[in-house]
Amino acid sequence: MSTAQSPQPDNATGPPGTVGTPEHPDGRAPAPPGRDTPPRTPDGTGADGPDRHPEPTPWPRRLLVGLVVGLLAWGVAALLGPEDGAARQLGAAALCAVAAVVVQHLVLVPDRAAEERARRAESLLAETADSVRGGLLRYDELRHGLNRHTEDMKQLVETRLVPPARPAEPEPPSPAVVRIDSVSDLATNFAEVLAPGLPILSTFVRLEMQRVIGHMTDLTTLTAECPGENHDWMLTLTRAAEKSISATSTSVDRQFWNSEPASRYLHAQKEAIEHGVPVRRLFLLESARELDDRLLRLCEEQEVLHIEVRVAVLPELPPHLLRGTTNDFIVYDEAVSFEIDQDLRDVNIRTRLIARQDHVHDRMKRFRELWEAGMSLRELEVRVDDEEDGTWMVDRG
């Protein structure tokens, strides 16, 4: 009969004090899964996550250091003072050991607190960096969004407000047809943009724009005219003048100087003079009978406004000056002539603007000749006094 013992199973646990196997030095076999230990994943981690190793407490090491220091102190005390009793030597060793432990505790605690503060600071800095990074990313997204919105608005404005270029026509129509069509289209476009809510006002805007644009289109030929007196043209040209204003005034205008438009006209000329534009006015009289105090007061009133004034009696002019025109005209900047035509009843029937160079040159030549032949205000005062006294001999027929 064999006395050899039968092999034991791998997971058998030996009696206390037996030596473990090489796989299990502590002599204990691993517990089967599902009994006392939680199952482990293939990567070596537990079911609840990776294994956590708790940080070892420093007290065993501190006590060990204290024990070593105490033994060293006991040995030194025994060597230096053998006559002292064992109690005193043990007391000194105990005090040294306690002191060593306390010193370690006092030194390590601040270090650990500093480490904790450092870790918190690093964590805070990391969070701040993440916040700043996220803010910069959001700012870039917002900036790109605003840029895209700006480009879209610019494209919208250019598409809606800027009309597309019209293709060139091979054979343009006649100038008259182009002018009429363009005026009508332009007036209609302005009326659509500026149209008020009421239909009658919309129609009014369209008609007014058509009238104004029609006059402006006529000026491309350096000539424009309208029926009756156009005080608006006269006022606008006065405000637009930059060099000079040279005007004549016939007997037909005598009632005009007492009207409301005349007040606005004189005010506009005063502003032009204040801006350095000289204004000259020549009164043309049909007869010496018009030399009276009323004319004198009119001339003095305009001279107060710094308007240069002269008076010419047409029948008393030299013969070569009587062959020219005697209707009202005003030359602005020696470039545009504003003229008013009268009928046989001395009624103003038409206003014209003429900017042709030859015509304006003739008007300025005529004005200078009549101006040189006219009387100044001082001469007019003497003449009016003589007329009242009957000492001036003139053909009054």
Side-chain angles (χ1 to χ4, degrees):
M1 176 180 290
S2 174
T3 58
Q5 296 180 355
S6 62
Q8 298 293 328
D10 295 340
N11 57 352
T13 304
T18 60
V19 179
T21 64
E23 294 82 1
H24 307 284
D26 56 355
R28 296 182 181 180
R35 181 174 299 175
D36 296 328
T37 60
R40 304 177 66 85
T41 58
D43 59 355
T45 60
D48 296 335
D51 293 338
R52 296 182 180 177
H53 301 283
E55 184 180 358
T57 59
W59 285 107
R61 185 172 57 185
R62 295 176 186 175
L63 294 176
L64 181 58
V65 172
L67 179 60
V68 172
V69 172
L71 291 176
L72 289 176
W74 186 22
V76 173
L79 291 176
L80 296 179
E83 69 279 0
D84 295 335
R88 296 187 63 183
Q89 295 174 357
L90 289 175
L95 289 176
C96 291
V98 172
V101 173
V102 172
V103 169
Q104 291 181 82
H105 178 71
L106 294 178
V107 171
L108 292 178
V109 168
D111 293 341
R112 298 178 67 83
E115 292 177 359
E116 183 66 22
R117 288 195 298 270
R119 284 196 299 269
R120 291 180 180 177
E122 292 177 358
S123 176
L124 181 60
L125 289 176
E127 294 177 358
T128 303
D130 293 339
S131 300
V132 172
R133 191 180 301 108
L136 291 176
L137 291 176
R138 289 192 295 272
Y139 170 76
D140 291 338
E141 294 176 357
L142 178 61
R143 184 182 62 182
H144 293 320
L146 289 176
N147 291 337
R148 288 195 301 270
H149 180 69
T150 302
E151 292 297 331
D152 294 342
M153 291 300 297
K154 181 179 179 181
Q155 184 177 3
L156 178 62
V157 171
E158 292 177 353
T159 303
R160 293 294 182 88
L161 298 183
V162 179
R166 295 184 178 180
E169 299 180 0
E171 293 182 0
S174 62
V177 175
V178 172
R179 182 174 68 251
I180 293 175
D181 292 344
S182 61
V183 169
S184 178
D185 294 342
L186 188 57
T188 303
N189 292 337
F190 269 105
E192 291 178 354
V193 174
L194 305 176
L198 297 177
I200 187 172
L201 293 181
S202 300
T203 305
F204 173 76
V205 170
R206 180 175 57 82
L207 294 177
E208 281 296 298
M209 292 303 303
Q210 187 171 354
R211 178 181 63 82
V212 172
I213 297 174
H215 292 322
M216 299 302 102
T217 306
D218 291 339
L219 285 178
T220 58
T221 62
L222 302 182
T223 302
E225 66 178 37
C226 69
E229 297 182 70
N230 195 321
H231 297 145
D232 293 334
W233 284 3
M234 186 169 59
L235 290 173
T236 303
L237 285 171
T238 300
R239 297 188 179 101
E242 297 180 353
K243 297 180 180 179
S244 63
I245 299 176
S246 303
T248 63
S249 178
T250 62
S251 302
V252 179
D253 297 333
R254 203 55 47 83
Q255 299 299 325
F256 166 76
W257 297 112
N258 296 324
S259 64
E260 189 274 336
S263 176
R264 290 187 285 122
Y265 180 44
L266 291 175
H267 180 72
Q269 288 191 334
K270 178 182 177 182
E271 291 181 345
I273 294 173
E274 292 175 352
H275 288 86
V277 180
V279 179
R280 294 183 295 176
R281 174 161 292 107
L282 176 64
F283 289 96
L284 300 177
L285 307 182
E286 295 290 340
S287 171
R289 294 191 180 118
E290 300 179 27
L291 294 171
D292 52 15
D293 291 336
R294 186 175 60 178
L295 174 64
L296 184 60
R297 286 194 301 270
L298 177 61
C299 294
E300 291 175 347
E301 177 186 359
Q302 299 200 12
E303 188 181 49
V304 171
L305 300 177
H306 302 287
I307 299 175
E308 299 181 53
V309 179
R310 287 197 177 186
V311 177
V313 181
L314 294 178
E316 300 176 5
L317 295 177
H320 70 280
L321 295 180
L322 296 176
R323 289 190 289 267
T325 180
T326 58
N327 61 334
D328 287 344
F329 64 87
I330 308 172
V331 180
Y332 297 91
D333 288 348
E334 300 187 10
V336 180
S337 178
F338 173 91
E339 303 179 4
I340 299 178
D341 297 335
Q342 294 92 20
D343 59 8
L344 297 178
R345 299 169 300 171
D346 290 336
V347 176
N348 296 329
I349 60 173
R350 182 171 50 250
T351 302
R352 294 187 298 170
L353 290 181
I354 304 176
R356 297 195 307 271
Q357 185 176 1
D358 56 343
H359 183 85
V360 175
H361 178 75
D362 291 342
R363 282 288 184 262
M364 285 304 303
K365 180 181 178 182
R366 176 66 172 169
F367 180 82
R368 293 190 184 99
E369 292 173 347
L370 295 175
W371 182 265
E372 294 297 330
M375 295 179 291
S376 65
L377 183 58
R378 302 298 171 259
E379 294 173 338
L380 177 63
E381 292 175 351
V382 175
R383 178 67 183 274
V384 170
D385 292 340
D386 292 341
E387 287 288 336
E388 291 178 352
D389 295 339
T391 57
W392 182 265
M393 300 302 295
V394 65
D395 185 8
R396 297 178 181 269

